[in-house]
Amino acid sequence: MGVNNKNAQAVFTPHHQELLANLASFAAIAIENARVHEEALERTRELQTLVEASQAINAAISLDRTLPNICDQLVRVLNVGRAEIYEWQVETNQLRAQARCFQTIWQPGQGVVVDLKSRPTLQFALVENQAAVMDVAAPDLTADELAVLNHVGATVVQIIPIQGGSQPLGALQAYYVHRPEQLPEAETLQRVKHLALEVLVTLSNANSGRAIFRSVEDLNRLLGSDWCELGLLTSDKQALSLHVMVGRGAWLTAPQPSLDLAVFPDILETLRSQTLINKQADSKIMTPGMRGLLENGHGRNLLGLPLVQRGQVQGLVLLIDVRRSRVFGQRDVDMARTMIAQAATALENARLVHDLEQSLRELRDTQDRLVQTARLSAMGELAAAVAHQINNPLTTIMVDSEMMLLDEPSASRNYRSLQAINRAGKRAAGVARRLLAIARPNNPDSPPQLIDVVDTIEGVLSLVKSHIERDRIQIITELPPTRLPSVWAVPGQLDDIWLNLVMNAHDALMGHEAAKIFIRAAYAAETETIAVEVEDNGPGIPEALLNEVFKPFFTTKPVGEGTGLGLHICRQTTERVGGSITATSIPGKGTTFFVRLPVKKGAE
């Protein structure tokens, strides 16, 4: 503390010095008291913040709400623009995203720049001033656009152009983790455009962050989206510069955004050693993995902490600041650790509840399937009984018509009618015989026999072809005219395969124009197998579900219309005879199932 005498040239006396020293001592005490008081208030505020965050984290017991709640509170308490929770998949050496929260405003020149040439759907929306949609299942989606959707873990993106007068200013992109049942209507889109334009105008105000976040959250609610990105066109109109990203996403099942730890070995070491990551983008000491992680999150600094439950590392929590270049201080780290410890407990409780609910759902589904299986079994028995009862009058019709043909002159009119009756009776008897063969329960202990594959295909088609063609679905067969080598199988087993595959194709093609089912069979001498293909030109199967279709009880059909066991039975049957079944599909173009059956060497 010092004083300056501006009115006189006299030197301060020792008395003055003593007064000043006493005053400095009093001031030091006052300053220290104020500092202690401020620290006490700060700690009180921190404790209050932690209590509020803990209450918010534990407010829900469902996993799909608990995960985003944790990310929300981490963003709020640590004052960062992005928080992410990853689950460590040890067997695949991957980190799979479970939840993310975005609350980011980029200053001009700092945001992510999107080249319109790589996003034709975005470019179309801006040029034509029309809302457009990027759908992961759309056949016309470019490879770049599909990569973007897979990277962020969205199935659909709604793109809404924003105009000022007649000039395009930018675009709002609304992301959906799960495909919405219905996209917003025109009236809603118009309200969204007005609100988004207000946000773009508000961006020029440096102190409007909270208001912008609230407005973009309103946009999310209007659109029913998980998160939104709002950007301005660059001056050359060739790119979109993102300025705002607000919202959250949660992924409980695949497909989830993921990080391959083979690309980020330093993160793998962090997980194994249970240490933390605290890095700046402009740091001179930066491994390629850490730099890639920062670039992946568009951040300027990064704090990563292992998510530990009962001493075991379950995943990783990432906190990314996209605006400021700073190293997280010890107090920030302590706050984050405290919250993550609370989050670990909340997650464990939520997972227990989630697993219990899943078990209850599976129990109910199993009960429903058992009822459905009992119904199908009863229908099979009924069909067998009806076929058996029909056989008796059919036998009479065929025998009597043949006897009458013996006595009837071949040139008479009645002869041709009797021939038609006899042929119809034989055909009906063949149908009844096939129905009895299919309805007869398969005994797994029955000895295998030499089976003609083409004969089983034709037998199944004789039963279902007329039913399928009534629904304007054309069946095209490419079966060899000569007999193929036989395969070892229990009678009736192969019929199940063709019946399931053909009826699945029929169900997929219902309501489609120019619907066709192709059935091909051929002998592959190089592998000594019979190759059968069942192809349809229907809507196809999404790639994410292609590996699920053979699992028991998996079905995409409405409740009550499918058991989810057909393809599982097909796989079991083919594997039982030493064969295999695989599937390929192109969404929008169709699906093909390939069955390979080993032949009995020497069989003709």
Side-chain angles (χ1 to χ4, degrees), residues 238-456:
Q238 299 300 309
L240 187 74
S241 178
L242 299 183
H243 286 271
V244 183
M245 182 188 294
V246 177
R248 60 202 54 79
W251 298 265
L252 300 184
T253 56
Q256 300 162 283
S258 61
L259 297 174
D260 187 355
L261 291 178
V263 183
F264 303 104
D266 29 11
I267 300 178
L268 183 59
E269 180 58 31
T270 294
L271 293 171
R272 287 173 175 168
S273 60
Q274 297 190 21
T275 56
L276 62 85
I277 304 168
N278 194 351
K279 296 292 183 180
Q280 286 178 284
D282 54 4
S283 173
K284 295 180 180 179
I285 304 175
M286 179 75 71
T287 63
M290 289 299 173
R291 190 169 299 281
L293 199 59
L294 274 167
E295 291 174 354
N296 185 62
H298 311 299
R300 302 187 67 184
N301 57 282
L302 171 73
L303 179 63
L305 296 101
L307 181 63
V308 181
Q309 293 180 358
R310 299 186 180 183
Q312 297 294 320
V313 178
Q314 302 295 323
L316 182 70
V317 177
L318 292 181
L319 305 172
I320 302 173
D321 197 325
V322 301
R323 299 182 64 186
R324 297 169 295 171
S325 182
R326 61 166 177 169
V327 176
F328 287 93
Q330 188 58 46
R331 181 164 291 182
D332 293 327
V333 173
D334 291 340
M335 291 276 285
R337 279 180 169 155
T338 302
M339 289 188 62
I340 291 171
Q342 288 275 340
T345 303
L347 278 177
E348 186 173 8
N349 293 337
R351 283 198 176 95
L352 289 172
V353 173
H354 177 74
D355 291 345
L356 178 60
E357 292 175 344
Q358 182 69 20
S359 298
L360 290 173
R361 282 194 297 270
E362 289 176 356
L363 178 61
R364 284 195 294 268
D365 291 344
T366 302
Q367 290 172 337
D368 292 341
R369 291 180 188 118
L370 287 173
V371 172
Q372 181 71 3
T373 302
R375 288 175 179 169
L376 291 173
S377 177
M379 291 300 295
E381 293 176 4
L382 179 61
V386 170
H388 181 73
Q389 292 296 325
I390 290 175
N391 261 337
N392 293 329
L394 285 176
T395 302
T396 302
I397 290 171
M398 288 188 294
V399 170
D400 287 353
S401 61
E402 287 178 356
M403 292 180 64
M404 293 174 70
L405 281 169
L406 295 175
D407 298 331
E408 190 72 24
S410 59
S412 70
R413 293 177 57 187
N414 290 337
Y415 190 85
R416 288 193 295 274
S417 298
L418 288 170
Q419 279 185 320
I421 292 170
N422 187 260
R423 284 196 301 270
K426 288 181 178 179
R427 188 169 63 183
V431 171
R433 186 173 62 255
R434 296 285 185 184
L435 187 59
L436 280 169
I438 291 177
R440 185 183 298 117
N442 289 325
N443 184 358
D445 297 325
S446 298
Q449 301 176 15
L450 287 174
I451 303 292
D452 184 341
V453 173
V454 173
D455 184 56
T456 61

